[in-house]
């Protein structure tokens, strides 16, 4: 399988002094996702957790929702000259009862590490395909999710401390799942922020943990529409980002009941939607 990091020669300039040295870079390779033998999507990703990445991608596409929907995932032989396996093609097989949405089979999706599913920005599509409502309890007896701002403020440092590959390369996005009490459940890194989230969601699907109805999803960059979509499709009630959200991400959060927090830095944060899950202490004032 491909390595998470690779070494390349770099010319280093420091205070006018020039030297040559090897540098550690994050690996980026294409991965083709096939669904029941048919090509579906190609994504640029950091090798590792490929099966979880494919499963999580199909959760966000509305194909998979439960562990029982998944029959198996296998690597397919790559197109190398000697016929060896590149480990860059995976085939996801669903169980016989899974209904495949027509939109998934009718299109080939090309995703990149920068933008993910560019162009798929339909609020109605997410609203109609989401399997779980954002009601926190899903009919259970547990109280609604409610988070203290101080707890949220401490999560970015915990995510950063868990980024092992970032420490070696400085070039990876990360996503983490926390409990409502701040316990770290899982963390994944990838050259694409959407891939890191897919790896988290895919592992949860494989473990039979969906919906993640009492989890907090934290991402190391901005909160795009696509990341909000992935949170909603996995039943995650809270999405927090250290950077800015997009306008469409805010619209989607408001439409679905997702709590969306942006600019989570130190003790500061902006709550863009779903403020009922945040234990606010002070009366909000209208800015001029």
């Amino acid at each position: 399988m491909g390595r998470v990091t690779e070494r390349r020669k770099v010319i280093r300039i420091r205070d006018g002094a020039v030297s040559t040295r090897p540098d550690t870079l994050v690996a980026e390779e294409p991965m083709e996702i096939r669904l029941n033998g048919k090509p579906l999507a190609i994504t640029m990703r950091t090798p590792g957790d490929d099966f979880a990445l494919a499963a999580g991608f199909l959760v966000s596409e509305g194909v998979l929702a439960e562990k029982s929907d998944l029959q198996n995932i296998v690597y397919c032989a790559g197109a190398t000259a000697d016929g060896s396996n590149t480990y860059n093609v995976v085939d996801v097989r669903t169980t016989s009862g899974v209904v495949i949405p027509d939109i998934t089979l009718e299109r080939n999706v090309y995703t990149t590490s920068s933008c993910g599913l560019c162009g798929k920005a339909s609020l109605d599509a997410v609203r109609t395909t989401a399997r779980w409502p954002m009601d926190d309890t899903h009919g259970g007896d547990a109280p609604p999710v409610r988070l203290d701002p101080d707890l949220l403020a401490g999560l970015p440092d915990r995510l950063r401390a868990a980024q092992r590959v970032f420490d070696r390369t400085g070039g990876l996005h990360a996503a983490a799942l926390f409990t409502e009490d701040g316990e770290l459940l899982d963390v994944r890194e990838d050259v694409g922020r959407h891939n890191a989230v897919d790896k988290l969601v895919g592992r949860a699907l494989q473990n039979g943990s969906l919906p993640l109805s009492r989890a907090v999803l934290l991402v190391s960059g901005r909160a795009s529409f696509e990341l909000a979509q992935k949170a909603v499709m996995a039943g995650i009630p809270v999405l927090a980002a250290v950077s800015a959200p997009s306008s469409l991400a805010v619209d989607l959060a408001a439409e679905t009941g997702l709590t969306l927090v942006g600019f989570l830095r130190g003790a500061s944060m902006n709550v863009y939607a779903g403020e009922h899950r945040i234990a606010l202490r002070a009366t909000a004032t209208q800015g001029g």
Side-chain angles (χ1 to χ4, degrees), residues 76-258:
C76 303
T80 58
D82 60 4
S84 61
N85 200 328
T86 62
Y87 296 100
N88 283 335
V89 181
V90 299
D91 186 19
V92 181
R93 295 280 174 170
T94 60
T95 53
S96 59
V98 174
V99 178
I100 308 300
D102 291 339
I103 57 170
T104 304
L105 292 179
E106 292 299 322
R107 66 193 178 99
N108 265 332
V109 179
Y110 178 75
T111 68
T112 72
S113 56
S114 61
C115 68
L117 295 178
C118 299
K120 184 176 181 183
S122 169
L123 301 178
D124 289 338
V126 179
R127 191 166 50 235
T128 57
T129 56
R131 305 289 185 98
W132 301 287
M134 287 290 169
D135 64 1
D136 299 338
T137 62
H138 303 291
D141 297 327
V145 172
R146 193 164 173 82
L147 302 171
D148 190 292
D150 290 342
L151 183 147
L152 283 173
L155 299 186
D157 285 343
R158 298 184 60 192
L159 172 60
R160 178 65 183 83
Q163 288 186 255
R164 298 178 181 178
V165 182
F166 183 89
D167 286 337
R168 298 160 57 195
T169 66
L172 279 181
H173 292 288
L177 286 172
F178 294 89
T179 68
E180 58 193 302
D181 297 321
E183 175 188 355
L184 178 62
L185 296 173
D186 197 4
V187 60
R188 298 292 108 187
E189 294 178 283
D190 198 278
V191 71
R193 60 174 61 87
H194 58 288
N195 290 338
V197 174
D198 279 341
K199 289 177 179 180
L200 286 176
V201 172
R203 284 166 62 91
L205 176 91
Q206 292 170 317
N207 294 334
S209 301
L210 293 185
L212 293 162
S213 56
R214 305 196 69 83
V216 178
L217 173 61
L218 175 65
V219 295
S220 61
R222 62 186 177 86
S224 63
F225 167 82
E226 153 189 52
L227 295 187
Q229 170 198 2
K230 292 180 184 298
V232 170
M233 295 299 288
I236 300 171
V238 181
L239 169 61
V242 300
S243 191
S246 69
S247 61
L248 201 60
V250 174
D251 291 345
L252 178 59
E255 288 271 353
T256 60
L258 173 70

